[in-house]
Amino acid sequence: MRMTKAKDKREHTQMLVDTLGLQEILSSGRPTAVKIGTEARARVQKGKRVFWNIGKIQAYLDAISE
């Protein structure tokens, strides 16, 4: 059974991704992805691993878009 787009989007925004995943989602390079993630206060660190909260990034991008 295929998930609907709304459900895909909802699950996607509740994800944590690593920096490479964030770069892919944003279609950007590492410096830009890290800058956006940091400005969105979406950085999650566990030990040496760094993850990004996609929900916070999406909310940040929605807030700054025109």
Side-chain angles (χ1 to χ4, degrees):
M1 182 174 154
R2 173 96 171 103
M3 288 185 236
T4 64
K5 288 185 181 184
K7 189 171 182 182
D8 285 343
K9 185 177 180 182
R10 183 176 48 234
E11 288 181 2
H12 184 71
T13 60
Q14 296 174 354
M15 290 177 42
L16 293 178
V17 296
D18 62 8
T19 304
L20 284 176
L22 182 59
Q23 287 176 244
E24 289 178 16
I25 290 168
L26 296 175
S27 299
S28 68
R30 182 181 176 87
T32 302
V34 169
K35 181 178 180 181
I36 290 171
T38 302
E39 290 175 359
R41 297 180 183 213
R43 188 173 194 263
V44 178
Q45 186 165 352
K46 180 68 176 167
K48 292 183 179 183
R49 306 256 343 242
V50 174
F51 300 98
W52 302 95
N53 181 321
I54 298 303
K56 286 187 175 185
I57 291 170
Q58 184 63 55
Y60 170 76
L61 292 174
D62 289 344
I64 66 168
S65 65
E66 295 180 0

